[in-house]
Every structure is written in structure tokens, then in C-alpha cells.
Amino acid sequence: MVEKKDFAVEIPIQIFVGTQEEQMLAVKVLEYSIRKYTSMPVEVTPLFAAVRKAGIHIPEPQDPKIKPRTPFSFQRFAIPALKNYRGRAIYLDSDMQVFRDIKELWLLPFNGADLLSVYEPENSGRPPQFSVMVINCEQLKWDVVDLVRDLERGKWTYKQFVLEMAPATKIAPVIPTEWNDLERYTEGKTALTHYTDMASQPWLTTENPLGWLWCQELFNAIKEGFISEQFLREEFIRGWIRPSLIYQLEHEIIDPRELPPAIITQDSLEFIPPHLCKKKMIKKNVKEDTKSPNFLELLARKVYGLAQYIWRASRPNIVKNQDKEPLTEQINKSLTLNKLQELYTLEPPLNLTKGHGGKQFSDIGHRWVETFKLFADLKQDENVLDVGCGPGRMALALARYLNAKGRYEGFDIKPDDIAWCQQEIEPRWSQSRFQLVNIKNDHYNPIGKIYADEFKFPYKDCTFDFVFLTSVFTHLLPKDLSNYLQEVVRVLKPGGRCLITYFLINEAVSESIKAGNARFDFPNSPQTHCYIQKPDDPEDTVGYDEEFIRNQYSQMGFKIQEPIYFGSWSGIQTASKPRHGQDVVVAVKAK
């Protein structure tokens, strides 16, 4: 293990994983294996998610000879920018499994190098590998857009650019070879196994000789709650993992080569790996000159998914058992799965998403669900209330997370939003219900008949485990806020949690506002503890004294879970992750 270092040790270890959405199960197993052995805090981030969040748009060359072979082939060059050209970062491919403390890589000194790669002996017969790298983000001032333009201008060949990492001029191949064992594992020696052959990756086929090794790690991750069974089944529904993996889990068979022949046969009959599916569908069924690459990929997935469901509807369900089920039961199951598949790709029309993130509608929803899990310990089998649900941004994300025992309720004051949710989401997700409430709000619904300070949530006492309101109290004046908070207390079960967002004002925020760093300056104060941005439209943007909100919670029997997670609106830097625009308060109802 390397202990000597010539730099200040960064915490946490920053790891970026090159992957696509259909490989997220592999990413989760990789992350589990990393955390299992590490002695330092780590942060593992799918590279596509980091690039998307940062708003980095990587151009794609028109020349087919230099087009990226995978979506993340060029994304790796964005890592220094993602780190703000500070410190270091580790890059890994997703199809890997770790067996030693990754701190060993993190503490390797650069000694003036731009990039550390795996040492490859001259007699190995293999070229140097860049699927495991330690990147000097301070020294590599890469702009991925400029690099791709240089590639187009002929500065490098594709091989030099991607396979040899030519933009890094000082490459040091000092990472020990056991940190990239290709399709090999030697107990006590191998630090990282790389399942590099896509045709035999353990989540796609039963034929990999090391399949037992990866499956054992997957099942351990499920037992410890790091990966949920629900997530595994969703990956199966999407057609991203082999059906026999579900059978393995249910029958606790570690080695896929020990599966019954009928189960292995089912894979060959019903499953096409996603990378082969896209190639076949795009090549055979779509004219490339009339469609964009993103459309092609989406169409390929949908056609493939439909074919899978039709096939499953006409065959016995041998994933769970080998006894033939009645055809009607099979068809009903297939229709349910088909509805879920449609739900996972559903998105409202642009006129509804405009005020809810626009093109980032889905990403924001999924980011909030991760916040619910991290900050409020949201569980998959809980009953959830979404106050101010809009056109289903949170609902669509929660549909992927809540299991069959969980339930979702949402209400809003906007008729178009609720009508779309009732028409599109409810028929596809039987555990959901949306209601329209005609509450008066001068900004959003001035013709409403019910005053917010008199409104009673349309649910019985002690119904929900978790209630959340995002960007609701930022549009309510004090008496309305107090009533809503009292209603949240009423409908929550004892011990239930609520997550609510605010614009909170305290001494530090006031100083930031005076310095001109905040998004809002709240120049008007109709009450001493309440602030508004627009006197002629008070409910457009409302802020509150932090002390006032804390007193409200205390009076109503809530205990705030410290700390409050301050958002970016105030211009104050915080260490909380994930971070949202508004301030997040999580509280628990007394038992």
C-alpha cells in the first residue's frame, strides 16, 4: 500500500465512472465493492450525470471515423473541468469490481505527471490501458469542446485521442497491473477485475467464468440494503439485465453456470443485451439520415422493450418457476409491466414543464428523490404526500423508487397539471392518485374559491409516512403557511417526516444580500418575520426569518433534523450535497 505522498490529501476520494444508463446496476455493484474496502470517504459519480448537471455539451464530430465509440469516450476529458481544475480525480469504467482499498490509487504521487495509468508489461501483448486513471486536474487545463474541435481539425487520430489519451502530454504508467486485471481474478493479488468483454459481462450472460464473483458481490449488496431488489427488477423490466439474474436471486444461486438449463435457455430466447439491441434496431428499422442519434437510441429501446413484453405474454413465466401459468395471468402481468415501461419514459408536454425545470424536468425529479432518501430516509414501502405536485415531476421519479407497498398522493391548484397526471400517470401507476384543489393564490390561482388559511388537506389524520412541499412555502404568506404546516402535522403518522423548502433569512444571509450575492434581496417586509420580493405580487416570492420558522415547528410538535440544508439562492457556500436552489428543512412529528 502506498503511504508516502507529496500533496495534501483530499477528502472525499472523487471517483468518476464512465457509463450509460443501462449499466447502472454495474455501477452500483462497483460502488459497493469500492466502499466495502476503502478506509477513506468516497464520492462515486456516474460521469454522464456529472456532465449533464454541469451543463457541458460535448460536440459530436460528423466524420464517422472519429465519432465516439461510447457516450463516455469523450466525457472523460471533462473531468478536470468538473473538479474546477483543482486537486485530483480517479476515473474507472463501470464494468469493474474492486477488492482492495482504492486509497492506494488516491495517494499515488504525480511527480510532475498529468495522468497516472496502469503499467502494462512489454510482454503482455496488450496496449496500455486507460480504463483506470488518476487525473491531475490542476495540471490538465482541458476544455473538452476545444479538444473535440482539435480532433476534428486532425490534430490527433481517434486512436491517439481516446485510446492513447494524447491530450495528456505527461503520462506516467505507474499504477500496478493488478489494478486492471482484464477478465482475471487471483485471490489475494487482484485489486480490480475488469469485465471488459461486453459479450460475457455477468449481468448480461451466464457464460462468464467469473460470473459467480460478480453475482456474489451483487447479492451481498442487496442483503446489506445498498441495492434494492426493486431496483434489480426495474432493470429487468427495462431489458437491461438478463432475466435469469432474477431467478438467481430468488433461488440464492451464486454461480450462474449452475442455473437450470431451462432458465439459461430463456435468456437466449427472451433477452438481447442493450448494446446489441441498439445496433440491430437502428441498422434494420430506422433511416439514419432522418433521425437524430438520441431518437434512434430511444426508438431502439422502445421497440426492443415492446418485443420483450409481447414475448413474455405468450410464454410461461419461467423466471420464477417452471410451472406453466394461465395465459390470462401472463397477459395481465405483461400489461402491468408494459404500463411501467411507458411510465418510466413518460414526460409532460413542454407547456407544462416550462415552470418545472423545462428540459431538466426529469433530472430534477430524480435528484429530489435522492434528496428524500438521503436527508429524510424515505423508504420504498412508505405512503407519500406531494403538496403542490404540479405536472408529476416528483411522481414520475418516485414511481421508479416506491415498491408495491408504497403509495403516492399529490394535489395542486393548477387544472392542466392535474388533468395530465390523472390521464397519463394514474392509469399506468395504480398506487398513485392526483387531486385538484381550488385554493386561492393571487399569483397562481387568483380565482380560487378556498382560502389557503382555511384549507384542509383531503386526507384522514395520520395517513402518511412522508410529506414534502418543494417551492410551496416560498409562495405562501404567514397565516397560510401556518395552516399548511398544521395540516402537515395532522396527516403525518407519529414519527413521520416532512421535507419543506424555504427562502430563509438569518444574519449570514442578510450580509450576503447586502453584498449583492443573493438571487433575491427581499426589499419589502409586510410583517417583521416575512419578506416579499414584489409588492404588487406578494405571493410570487416569499422569504421568512429562520427563527420564525423554527418557532412554528416547535409550536406544532415538530423536531427539526439538524442541520438545515441551505440552498444556493443566498449565495452562501455550504458543504451539503446534494444542494438545491432553496433551503431544505427536514422535521419529524413527535410519536
Side-chain angles (χ1 to χ4, degrees):
M1 180 179 296
V2 177
E3 292 294 349
K4 294 182 179 180
K5 52 188 180 295
D6 58 356
F7 55 91
V9 178
E10 291 181 68
I11 297 177
I13 297 173
Q14 297 275 327
I15 302 171
F16 293 93
V17 181
T19 187
Q20 301 174 65
E21 189 175 3
E22 59 260 38
Q23 297 164 343
M24 283 306 296
L25 178 62
V27 175
K28 286 180 176 290
V29 172
L30 170 62
E31 181 177 359
Y32 172 80
S33 71
I34 291 170
R35 294 182 181 278
K36 181 177 179 179
Y37 294 99
T38 186
S39 57
M40 287 177 62
V42 296
E43 184 172 298
V44 180
T45 306
L47 191 49
F48 74 85
V51 169
R52 183 188 303 163
K53 180 180 177 182
I56 298 175
H57 302 287
I58 302 174
E60 182 168 311
Q62 295 300 312
D63 185 350
K65 293 180 180 179
I66 57 174
K67 283 190 175 184
R69 306 296 188 265
T70 70
F72 51 88
S73 295
F74 293 175
Q75 291 174 0
R76 295 180 296 174
F77 296 98
I79 291 175
L82 293 171
K83 287 289 304 289
N84 294 316
Y85 303 102
R86 297 176 181 174
R88 55 179 51 209
I90 292 175
Y91 171 83
L92 300 176
D93 283 350
S94 62
D95 50 352
M96 294 176 167
Q97 185 177 348
V98 168
F99 303 95
R100 288 214 311 247
D101 194 340
I102 205 160
K103 182 177 75 171
E104 293 182 40
L105 302 188
W106 195 242
L107 297 184
L108 285 171
F110 285 114
N111 293 329
D114 296 331
L115 183 152
L116 307 182
S117 63
V118 175
Y119 169 73
E120 193 61 38
E122 293 182 0
N123 60 357
S124 71
R126 296 187 297 155
Q129 299 288 310
F130 292 94
S131 48
V132 176
M133 297 185 289
V134 184
I135 299 172
N136 189 338
C137 299
E138 293 185 5
Q139 198 156 301
L140 288 171
K141 303 298 183 182
W142 284 341
D143 182 311
V144 64
V145 175
D146 290 342
L147 292 180
V148 174
R149 296 306 182 207
D150 285 342
L151 173 66
E152 289 180 298
R153 287 191 285 265
K155 184 173 182 178
W156 306 287
T157 65
Y158 182 89
K159 179 182 177 183
Q160 291 170 331
F161 186 62
V162 174
L163 304 182
E164 298 175 3
M165 296 297 289
T169 57
K170 299 179 182 178
I171 298 173
V174 297
I175 299 176
T177 55
E178 59 261 33
W179 275 98
N180 191 32
D181 259 355
L182 299 185
E183 304 291 346
R184 294 192 305 265
Y185 172 74
T186 303
E187 187 173 0
K189 180 181 178 182
T190 296
L192 180 150
T193 291
H194 188 174
Y195 303 98
T196 186
D197 184 357
M198 295 185 72
S200 65
Q201 288 172 334
W203 50 95
L204 302 179
T205 178
T206 60
E207 297 175 358
N208 193 306
L210 295 177
W212 65 272
L213 189 67
W214 186 87
C215 291
Q216 180 175 262
E217 198 78 305
L218 167 65
F219 297 165
N220 287 338
I222 291 174
K223 287 179 183 178
E224 293 184 18
F226 189 84
I227 298 174
S228 69
E229 289 190 30
Q230 177 72 10
F231 178 81
L232 190 69
R233 296 182 188 280
E234 288 175 355
E235 297 298 272
F236 159 66
I237 290 171
R238 296 176 185 129
W240 291 348
I241 62 172
R242 54 183 170 86
S244 57
L245 197 53
I246 304 297
Y247 185 96
Q248 266 187 263
L249 176 66
E250 292 175 342
H251 293 79
E252 299 181 348
I253 300 173
I254 299 298
D255 192 340
R257 292 175 298 180
E258 295 179 0
L259 288 168
I263 300 300
I264 295 175
T265 300
Q266 182 195 24
D267 281 354
S268 62
L269 292 174
E270 298 188 5
F271 178 66
I272 302 175
H275 64 282
L276 294 180
C277 160
K278 285 186 283 187
K279 287 181 181 178
K280 291 182 178 182
M281 294 297 179
I282 292 173
K283 183 176 180 180
K284 292 184 178 181
N285 299 315
V286 185
K287 294 182 179 179
E288 293 190 22
D289 59 345
T290 60
K291 304 293 181 181
S292 69
N294 288 339
F295 177 84
L296 293 174
E297 184 173 333
L298 181 61
L299 180 61
R301 287 180 183 175
K302 288 189 174 182
V303 173
Y304 169 55
L306 180 60
Q308 278 195 311
Y309 291 132
I310 292 173
W311 182 263
R312 289 172 186 153
S314 63
R315 286 183 52 78
N317 182 8
I318 61 176
V319 169
K320 282 196 171 184
N321 56 65
Q322 298 181 58
D323 298 327
K324 188 170 182 178
E325 296 178 332
L327 182 60
T328 54
E329 186 173 342
Q330 293 176 43
I331 293 174
N332 287 338
K333 286 184 178 180
S334 178
L335 290 174
T336 299
L337 293 175
N338 208 3
K339 288 179 180 178
L340 286 174
Q341 181 76 3
E342 293 174 359
L343 186 67
Y344 293 151
T345 59
L346 198 62
E347 192 163 303
L350 291 177
N351 65 305
L352 297 185
T353 63
K354 185 177 180 181
H356 298 270
K359 293 181 179 180
Q360 296 183 326
F361 180 87
S362 296
D363 290 343
I364 294 172
H366 290 299
R367 185 168 174 237
W368 269 113
V369 171
E370 291 303 311
T371 299
F372 299 158
K373 292 156 60 178
L374 182 63
F375 291 172
D377 193 28
L378 176 64
K379 299 177 178 62
Q380 293 178 291
D381 60 352
E382 293 190 310
N383 291 339
V384 176
L385 173 60
D386 182 355
V387 178
C389 63
R393 182 172 66 183
M394 307 302 194
L396 290 169
L398 284 166
R400 294 192 178 204
Y401 178 68
L402 297 178
N403 62 24
K405 295 182 180 179
R407 183 165 184 82
Y408 170 93
E409 296 270 356
F411 68 80
D412 203 282
I413 64 178
K414 299 173 76 173
D416 291 345
D417 288 355
I418 293 299
W420 186 86
C421 291
Q422 290 175 338
Q423 180 180 344
E424 301 295 339
I425 299 179
E426 278 191 15
R428 295 177 171 91
W429 189 25
S430 60
Q431 298 148 244
S432 68
R433 186 176 64 155
F434 297 85
Q435 297 188 60
L436 177 66
V437 291
N438 193 20
I439 300 171
K440 179 178 175 58
N441 182 283
D442 289 338
H443 183 73
Y444 286 105
N445 189 31
I447 62 173
K449 301 298 183 183
I450 306 170
Y451 286 97
D453 63 332
E454 300 174 352
F455 175 62
K456 299 300 179 186
F457 291 2
Y459 312 103
K460 296 180 180 179
D461 295 358
C462 304
T463 298
F464 299 98
D465 302 287
F466 178 59
V467 177
F468 65 91
L469 301 84
T470 58
S471 198
V472 174
F473 282 7
T474 54
H475 304 288
L476 293 184
L477 296 173
K479 63 179 182 179
D480 303 330
L481 179 149
S482 296
N483 178 60
Y484 266 51
L485 197 56
Q486 185 63 58
E487 283 297 287
V488 172
V489 176
R490 180 181 66 80
V491 300
L492 269 176
K493 297 176 183 178
R497 294 92 62 218
C498 67
L499 182 151
I500 305 175
T501 68
Y502 299 86
F503 295 125
L504 295 178
I505 314 295
N506 55 30
E507 185 175 347
V509 173
S510 295
E511 291 299 320
S512 182
I513 290 174
K514 290 178 183 177
N517 297 326
R519 181 181 176 186
F520 305 108
D521 57 3
F522 291 113
N524 306 284
S525 180
Q527 299 181 30
T528 56
H529 49 258
C530 172
Y531 307 88
I532 60 176
Q533 187 70 16
K534 300 178 180 179
D536 56 342
D537 188 5
E539 291 169 318
D540 174 74
T541 311
V542 185
Y544 285 95
D545 276 329
E546 179 185 339
E547 183 178 357
F548 169 76
I549 294 299
R550 287 183 176 276
N551 288 336
Q552 288 280 302
Y553 276 69
S554 178
Q555 292 171 16
M556 296 185 186
F558 272 129
K559 179 176 177 58
I560 292 178
Q561 289 189 173
E562 303 292 352
I564 290 175
Y565 302 97
F566 291 97
S568 61
W569 77 272
S570 63
I572 297 176
Q573 297 298 316
T574 72
S576 63
K577 292 184 178 181
R579 194 181 186 197
H580 298 276
Q582 299 176 13
D583 307 317
V584 178
V585 178
V586 179
V588 181
K589 177 181 175 179
K591 294 184 179 180

